[in-house]
């Protein structure tokens, strides 16, 4: 891993067939909580136009330490 500040993360998730809206609703709550976390510069939820089961997150954090705090937060576990 090469870490530069700010830290950019691109993550993917896939919903089980028929559970797309449930996953989007749950992940939207996560995004709303994460946007208020210290060091969060950007946190986006994107749904694929070609596959509604595919979700891509784009995150930008001021530092690796900020991201670690986010990952240890109550909205993740």
């Amino acid at each position: 891993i090469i870490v530069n500040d700010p830290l950019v993360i691109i993550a993917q998730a896939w919903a089980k067939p028929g559970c797309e809206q449930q996953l989007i609703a749950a992940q939207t709550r996560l995004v709303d909580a994460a946007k208020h976390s210290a060091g969060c510069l950007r946190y986006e939820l994107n749904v694929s136009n070609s596959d509604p089961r595919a979700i891509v997150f784009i995150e930008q954090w001021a530092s690796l330490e900020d991201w670690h705090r986010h990952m240890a937060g109550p909205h993740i576990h």
Side-chain angles (χ1 to χ4, degrees):
I1 272 184
I2 298 172
V3 177
N4 295 314
D5 292 335
L7 174 67
V8 175
I9 296 173
I10 299 172
Q12 297 178 317
W14 284 267
K16 291 180 182 180
C19 296
E20 296 86 356
Q21 292 306 313
Q22 289 172 302
L23 179 61
I24 291 169
Q27 297 304 321
T28 297
R29 289 189 298 275
L30 169 65
V31 169
D32 290 342
K35 285 182 176 182
H36 295 93
S37 297
C40 182
L41 304 175
R42 176 181 178 193
Y43 207 113
E44 296 177 7
L45 174 120
N46 301 278
V47 179
S48 170
N49 289 330
S50 60
D51 184 351
R53 296 180 313 124
I55 295 174
V56 176
F57 298 91
I58 301 173
E59 306 173 37
Q60 187 173 15
W61 296 90
S63 69
L64 180 61
E65 292 76 19
D66 290 324
W67 179 72
H68 281 296
R69 275 191 297 276
H70 158 70
M71 293 304 292
H75 49 275
I76 297 295
H77 300 284

